[in-house]
Amino acid sequence: MKNLIFLRSKASGSAAAAAAGRMAQRLRKAGRRIKANACRLFAVAACLMLAAAGCHENTHFLKDSAYRKQVHRQFLKRQGEAAGRREALFSVFDKPDLTLQQREALEFLYAYMPLCDLADGDGNFFLKQVEAAFAARRYFDWGKAIPDDIFRHFVLVYRVNNENLDTARTVFFEELKERLKGLSMAEAALEVNHWCHEKVIYRGTDGRTSAPLALVRTSWGRCGEESTFTVAALRAVGIPARQCYTPRWVHTNDNHAWVEVWIDGKWHYMGACEPEAVLDAAWFTAPSKRAMMVHTNVFGLYNGAEEKNVQTPLYSTINLLDAYAPVRKVSARVVDEQNLPVEGATVKFKVYNYAELYPIVKSLSAADGTASIVSGMGDLVVWASKGERYGYAKSSPGDEMVTVALSRACGKPYDETYSLNAPPEQSVPALPQDKAAANALRLAREDSIRNAYVSTFAPPVAERDRPSDADRQKLFLHKAQGNQREIADFLKTEAANPHYLNFLASLSEKDLRDTPAEYLRDHIRNGRKAEPDMPDDIYVRKVLSPRIALELIKPWRSFLQQPDVAKEIAGERPAAENIVEYVRKNIEIRDDENYYNCRLTPRGVYELKMADRRSRDIFFVAACRSLGIPAQVEEATGKPQHYRGGQWIDAIFDKQDTTTRRSAALTLTSAPSNIIKPGYYAHYTLAFFKDGDFQTLDFEDNPAVAKFPFTLTLDEGYYRLMAGSRANDGSVTVSTRYFELCSEKPLAIAVKIPDVTEKLFVKGIVDMNTLAAMSDGSKKSLKELSNGKGLMLCFVDVGKEPSKHILQDLPTQQKALEAWGGGIVLIAPDDRKSSAFSAATFKNLPAQTAWSVDENRSLLTATVNALQLDFHDDFPLAVYLSTNGGILYSSVGYRIGIGEDIVKIIRMEQEVNSGTR
């Protein structure tokens, strides 16, 4: 630069110009050399980057060669089994740009996927799932720290449980990736759960699991759906997650599902869509300490350190209980009538729940007759069978080994009564108040976000005895909620069909919330009648309706009506008997391979030629209905049936079971000593003997058992009537009757709820002059609220599942509580109010039910102090007060049946006051 200035000042005109030109030329040449060198360096760097990427893409996803070979062998086996779906499933492997990692990841998924996905899945969908999982692993810093086996089983896998598959992984990733920037893995897991709470809250619903995106549209679901949704969201952002279940509680009826997340080498738990300020904190912390089993299914061949309850070639069920509760080893020895060990006996470890003995683990006895599991500190019933011989024994804490003799066979009548104890209650520490308060503010904001979305749903409709068509349309739109556009579209296009409203009425409410209009049109537009004079009711519900059991509705009707398909299934002249024969000859049963219990679609069964029994039965019904033949899966027994000549005829697919059973009559009455009306599943069940065990008949919500006495028409056979009554500590007294039912001898049996000896005593005193702030702004004393007859107080956290359960419990005792006439007050502490809560959601509460807000927790504190409780916000807290303020009953935390408990206490108090007790 100095030289250039000198030349500009000293040189004369042209010479200076020439010198400047030469200098500019030299600078241009130098610039070209610099640019060329830079280009060469960039090219080299780019080549190195591409080579590195190529090396990465061509390294093995399954790094262990022995494991890789095992996966490949299993993949080839499944490929052969699903040859009928080669184009849909396996053409994805022909893509020229498929990388080695993608190929091996796909092979892993195909090798172990359940039958439902082999039958109905699509190769391009699974490839996108693989690509999305890999993308999340690259995008988030924590992806690099996840071990390959944890990533393989708990991130890559596209399915959580028995939900319908959708594109949630890619949708959730796009919505969450910016929100999680800069967070640690633990912080991100908590943040994902807050996002989930913005979208979805708890409300009970039927057992079919909606897809994650469908749940977002609905904005609520049961715990199994919430946990499926949350696991899907966590996996979408590369955080390993799994859904955990306690299959049945033992201290109360019901079950529960939640989420575990893998954070920096360790598994932690959290409530799905119920975010807390920290990991390993949830309302179910205390109940889970009383659990007898917590488990999860793991997709694929898993070599983790957890105890395995089940290990199959496709999946394992791992036992997680020791992370939650004190455990013991439960061991049993199965012997024959000569006291010799029995190998290969089916052994079921059962707990009492919903008035039945429910198996939490099933296994086979070893050569020495033994079988064992790790379970909790309560009682179990160990049930063993081989052939038609069976036996059972109770296992309690302290028992080293129980002996189960196969000394029983069907046919012998007898009665027995026994008790089963639940694990004892344990206290849990409360979260620090500052963290809990800050979290509550976040929850309130998230409630407002969700409420804003819910406000766009169609409004509720007043119920009328004889609603007009317009009223019915509005009701369907309201029930459709986030799916209202699809139902509106259906109503618009199908209004000319005389059956369109009754067709919608044949569906479940969940069907209205997650079924596309085009699926519904496939069915209503292709309805046929095998008999022209078929009654409309039978035609709509048992031919036209696509709702068969608890499967997802799909557009199978037009496919099964294709001439070549219909001819293959039903012959030249369609008949139900032809369809039975086709199913018997062509559909292979593989129950164990459909381990998530997600039903195959009828088209999937046809193409795969394999199914579990329930999917086979649904296929049979779908095939009949497609050809205009009325058919159903009977609700109580689960039998597939077709309709002819005014009768339902069983479809029998097993050749060894082609004998037609005769019918017999059983009349059930309610014993006069029952304090409350026995409810099916709440207090009693009926089960029939088959394959070495008793299978419960499903009469839940069935009008046939709604009012005592009633008479059931059942198959002849060996039955068990079981009734139970639960004490306040969770223990249960069980009464059973075993009997033979014959067509020649109609039988009448009284259902008697066993007596549980409990004394009425005062646990503490609450001042009945205490004022409560009512929801209408007034203040009333507890004495005034009691109506001179007694008072039930229930402190609730209205945003949490356990408190919502009590709001579902009370309607079951509506008549008894209204007849009593005392007071019922549901109280929300002022720091537990939720804008998401609407009392109108909960129908049929007793007429005297009132709502109150507890300012500064003053009434809650007084009640807790009176009971001398170490209370850590384990809502609900329910108490029953006599007219003088004596606490005669209390229940803390998660419990089913509180309304029933209150009715029992009221009856006991009345008997004491009248001198009859």
Side-chain angles (χ1 to χ4, degrees):
M1 183 65 70
K2 286 181 180 179
N3 289 337
L4 186 56
I5 294 172
F6 174 79
L7 288 170
R8 278 184 179 172
S9 60
K10 297 293 183 181
S12 61
S14 60
R22 287 193 296 273
M23 180 60 70
Q25 191 174 13
R26 287 197 296 270
L27 289 172
R28 282 196 296 271
K29 288 180 180 179
R32 283 195 295 269
R33 285 196 299 273
I34 293 170
K35 185 176 180 180
N37 288 336
C39 288
R40 281 193 291 273
L41 287 170
F42 178 79
V44 170
C47 289
L48 288 171
M49 289 173 65
L50 288 171
C55 288
H56 174 72
E57 294 293 344
N58 287 292
T59 56
H60 288 290
F61 170 66
L62 303 174
K63 296 182 174 62
D64 182 272
S65 61
Y67 189 90
R68 185 167 63 247
K69 290 176 182 177
Q70 192 170 8
V71 169
H72 185 64
R73 285 194 299 270
Q74 178 66 21
F75 165 75
L76 294 176
K77 180 175 181 288
R78 304 305 290 288
Q79 190 175 36
E81 292 173 342
R85 303 201 69 244
R86 196 224 171 272
E87 181 63 28
L89 270 179
F90 297 101
S91 61
V92 68
F93 289 93
D94 301 330
K95 290 181 178 288
D97 57 346
L98 195 69
T99 68
L100 180 62
Q101 290 211 354
Q102 290 172 336
R103 178 178 295 276
E104 289 184 357
L106 281 172
E107 284 200 6
F108 171 76
L109 296 180
Y110 278 55
Y112 301 112
M113 65 175 52
L115 279 186
C116 57
D117 299 333
L118 274 182
D120 297 304
D122 173 80
N124 289 320
F125 170 84
F126 296 126
L127 177 58
K128 288 178 181 177
Q129 293 293 302
V130 169
E131 291 171 341
F134 286 169
R137 193 178 197 181
R138 291 190 299 267
Y139 185 87
F140 294 104
D141 291 340
W142 53 78
K144 305 175 185 66
I146 301 172
D148 288 342
D149 62 333
I150 296 295
F151 178 84
R152 183 170 64 236
H153 294 283
F154 303 110
V155 176
L156 174 67
V157 175
Y158 55 88
R159 176 177 289 287
V160 180
N161 198 324
N162 57 355
E163 75 277 13
N164 181 42
L165 300 180
D166 63 14
T167 58
R169 188 189 290 264
T170 53
V171 173
F172 292 174
F173 173 81
E174 290 299 326
E175 186 159 342
L176 283 164
K177 64 181 183 180
E178 293 300 319
R179 183 166 175 160
L180 303 183
K181 271 190 174 179
L183 299 183
S184 69
M185 197 175 189
E187 291 168 338
L190 292 169
E191 189 63 30
V192 169
N193 205 17
H194 277 286
W195 176 85
C196 290
H197 179 249
E198 288 178 10
K199 306 293 184 183
V200 174
I201 55 169
Y202 173 82
R203 195 189 303 174
T205 180
D206 68 37
R208 179 166 69 79
T209 304
S210 287
L213 290 176
L215 206 67
V216 171
R217 287 195 296 273
T218 297
S219 82
W220 56 268
R222 70 179 199 285
C223 62
E225 292 173 308
E226 287 180 300
S227 49
T228 295
F229 164 62
T230 305
V231 169
L234 289 160
R235 290 182 182 178
V237 295
I239 297 176
R242 58 196 186 192
Q243 181 190 53
C244 303
Y245 259 103
T246 179
R248 296 287 176 97
W249 299 111
V250 290
H251 68 284
T252 186
N253 284 340
D254 215 349
N255 57 10
H256 191 55
W258 59 88
V259 172
E260 283 190 348
V261 289
W262 187 94
I263 305 292
D264 301 328
K266 184 180 177 182
W267 288 98
H268 301 264
Y269 69 86
M270 58 186 184
C273 305
E274 297 172 325
E276 297 285 355
V278 296
L279 295 169
D280 299 321
W283 66 259
F284 56 82
T285 299
S288 68
K289 291 183 179 297
R290 307 182 74 185
M292 295 294 284
M293 181 56 60
V294 176
H295 63 199
T296 188
N297 284 340
V298 183
F299 183 108
L301 187 62
Y302 179 61
N303 296 320
E306 298 94 339
E307 176 92 9
K308 290 186 175 66
N309 289 337
V310 176
Q311 176 71 72
T312 78
L314 298 183
Y315 76 101
S316 57
T317 302
I318 57 176
N319 186 340
L320 309 173
L321 183 63
D322 62 356
Y324 296 91
V327 298
R328 66 184 179 101
K329 186 175 183 180
V330 181
S331 299
R333 181 172 179 263
V334 184
V335 299
D336 60 19
E337 291 184 280
Q338 287 73 45
N339 204 37
L340 297 174
V342 177
E343 180 181 5
T346 299
V347 183
K348 300 176 182 178
F349 298 86
K350 299 188 174 192
V351 299
Y352 178 91
N353 190 290
Y354 281 130
E356 65 176 354
L357 294 176
Y358 184 87
I360 57 173
V361 178
K362 175 182 174 182
S363 65
L364 295 176
S365 59
D368 62 355
T370 61
S372 64
I373 64 167
V374 173
S375 188
M377 302 305 290
D379 292 341
L380 285 164
V381 173
V382 183
W383 188 285
S385 64
K386 192 167 186 179
E388 292 299 302
R389 307 293 296 183
Y390 72 96
Y392 51 92
K394 183 169 78 170
S395 172
S396 300
D399 293 337
E400 292 187 7
M401 176 83 71
V402 296
T403 298
V404 183
L406 302 184
S407 57
R408 299 184 184 274
C410 68
K412 182 180 178 181
Y414 64 99
D415 297 353
E416 64 182 353
T417 299
Y418 52 88
S419 61
L420 298 169
N421 292 319
E425 286 189 82
Q426 297 183 55
S427 62
V428 296
L431 284 176
Q433 280 298 319
D434 57 339
K435 288 188 175 182
N439 192 61
L441 290 175
R442 283 206 68 180
L443 296 180
R445 288 196 298 272
E446 291 154 11
D447 288 340
S448 67
I449 294 170
R450 186 183 343 95
N451 287 343
Y453 166 67
V454 171
S455 68
T456 66
F457 293 172
V461 180
E463 295 185 11
R464 295 184 173 90
D465 292 335
R466 293 185 177 182
S468 66
D469 285 357
D471 289 334
R472 295 182 72 190
Q473 288 183 9
K474 291 176 182 178
L475 180 62
F476 290 132
L477 290 173
H478 169 65
K479 290 181 176 180
Q481 299 190 331
N483 197 45
Q484 60 192 5
R485 289 186 180 180
E486 294 293 325
I487 299 304
D489 182 23
F490 174 86
L491 290 169
K492 180 179 179 181
T493 60
E494 306 309 311
N497 189 309
H499 302 296
Y500 80 115
L501 291 177
N502 288 335
F503 172 85
L504 288 181
S506 75
L507 309 179
S508 72
E509 291 194 13
K510 186 172 288 183
D511 295 334
L512 296 173
R513 296 195 298 267
D514 67 5
T515 308
E518 61 178 303
Y519 289 11
L520 298 178
R521 279 194 283 265
D522 176 78
H523 293 283
I524 198 168
R525 292 182 178 181
N526 292 295
R528 296 180 182 178
K529 285 186 178 182
E531 300 175 6
D533 57 347
M534 186 183 301
D536 282 350
D537 180 59
I538 291 291
Y539 172 65
V540 172
R541 293 189 303 108
K542 305 301 181 181
V543 175
L544 196 60
S545 177
R547 167 52 52 225
I548 298 173
L550 273 181
E551 78 289 357
L552 182 80
I553 289 178
K554 287 281 191 173
W556 40 260
R557 195 177 301 256
S558 58
F559 173 81
L560 294 178
Q561 288 177 350
Q562 293 178 28
D564 54 338
V565 176
K567 182 178 179 181
E568 179 186 352
I569 292 173
E572 293 285 356
R573 300 181 66 182
E577 291 78 8
N578 295 342
I579 301 173
V580 169
E581 190 63 21
Y582 172 83
V583 171
R584 184 183 295 157
K585 289 181 177 179
N586 293 279
I587 307 303
E588 182 181 353
I589 297 302
R590 299 275 190 92
D591 280 327
D592 291 342
E593 293 191 21
N594 202 31
Y595 52 92
Y596 278 117
N597 289 321
C598 183
R599 301 296 160 235
L600 284 69
T601 67
R603 177 171 181 169
V605 172
Y606 172 81
E607 292 181 345
L608 194 64
K609 299 293 190 290
M610 291 186 292
D612 61 281
R613 280 179 170 78
R614 291 185 179 181
S615 296
R616 172 201 63 188
D617 296 347
I618 291 169
F619 169 77
F620 166 77
V621 173
C624 286
R625 291 185 182 183
S626 295
L627 301 176
I629 303 168
Q632 67 175 9
V633 173
E634 203 276 324
E635 290 183 9
T637 63
K639 292 180 180 180
Q641 299 175 325
H642 64 93
Y643 186 80
R644 186 176 60 204
Q647 293 185 330
W648 288 103
I649 301 167
D650 294 346
I652 301 174
F653 304 116
D654 298 324
K655 292 182 179 179
Q656 65 271 24
D657 190 26
T658 55
T659 56
T660 302
R661 289 189 177 88
R662 293 185 298 176
S663 296
L666 173 66
T667 299
L668 294 182
T669 62
S670 176
S673 60
N674 291 331
I675 294 176
I676 58 175
K677 173 189 170 185
Y680 202 84
Y681 281 130
H683 308 104
Y684 77 99
T685 56
L686 192 63
F688 69 97
F689 187 81
K690 184 178 181 181
D691 299 330
D693 201 355
F694 287 87
Q695 301 181 20
T696 302
L697 299 175
D698 187 4
F699 282 108
E700 184 177 22
D701 299 325
N702 194 313
V705 301
K707 186 178 180 180
F708 287 99
F710 55 81
T711 299
L712 301 172
T713 301
L714 304 170
D715 286 344
E716 286 186 321
Y718 191 44
Y719 286 81
R720 179 183 69 198
L721 177 67
M722 176 172 283
S725 184
R726 196 179 296 278
N728 288 340
D729 65 356
S731 63
V732 65
T733 300
V734 182
S735 176
T736 55
R737 171 168 289 188
Y738 297 82
F739 60 93
E740 189 80 21
L741 194 59
C742 303
S743 60
E744 295 87 358
K745 296 180 180 179
L747 191 62
I749 300 177
V751 178
K752 183 181 184 304
I753 301 174
D755 292 328
V756 177
T757 303
E758 290 187 289
K759 294 181 179 180
L760 202 63
F761 64 95
V762 176
K763 299 182 175 185
I765 300 289
V766 173
D767 184 358
M768 294 297 281
N769 294 311
T770 303
L771 295 177
M774 309 310 293
S775 59
D776 61 3
S778 65
K779 290 194 175 184
K780 294 183 179 180
S781 70
L782 300 185
K783 183 177 181 179
E784 182 181 359
L785 291 166
S786 73
N787 298 325
K789 296 181 179 181
L791 180 64
M792 175 187 176
L793 300 179
C794 188
F795 299 90
V796 294
D797 182 348
V798 293
K800 295 291 179 68
E801 178 178 340
S803 294
K804 292 179 181 179
H805 275 295
I806 197 171
L807 297 174
Q808 295 167 344
D809 272 355
L810 289 177
T812 67
Q813 304 300 322
Q814 179 186 12
K815 290 184 179 179
L817 291 170
E818 288 179 351
W820 159 60
I824 301 173
V825 184
L826 302 173
I827 307 168
D830 55 2
D831 60 334
R832 295 285 169 159
K833 292 187 297 183
S834 171
S835 59
F837 177 75
S838 171
T841 303
F842 299 92
K843 309 291 186 182
N844 301 318
L845 289 170
Q848 68 266 47
T849 304
W851 289 87
S852 172
V853 175
D854 190 14
E855 298 171 353
N856 301 315
R857 294 192 169 203
S858 57
L859 183 53
L860 174 61
T861 302
T863 306
V864 167
N865 290 341
L867 288 166
Q868 299 183 27
L869 281 178
D870 185 17
F871 185 70
H872 297 300
D873 286 358
D874 193 9
F875 295 101
L877 168 60
V879 299
Y880 175 76
L881 307 179
S882 65
T883 53
N884 61 8
I887 302 175
L888 303 181
Y889 169 88
S890 65
S891 173
V892 181
Y894 179 71
R895 180 181 172 89
I896 304 298
I898 291 176
E900 178 185 324
D901 291 346
I902 296 295
V903 171
K904 289 180 180 178
I905 293 295
I906 291 169
R907 297 287 172 83
M908 290 170 63
E909 183 187 29
Q910 290 171 342
E911 290 173 1
V912 169
N913 292 339
S914 65
T916 59
R917 187 181 182 91

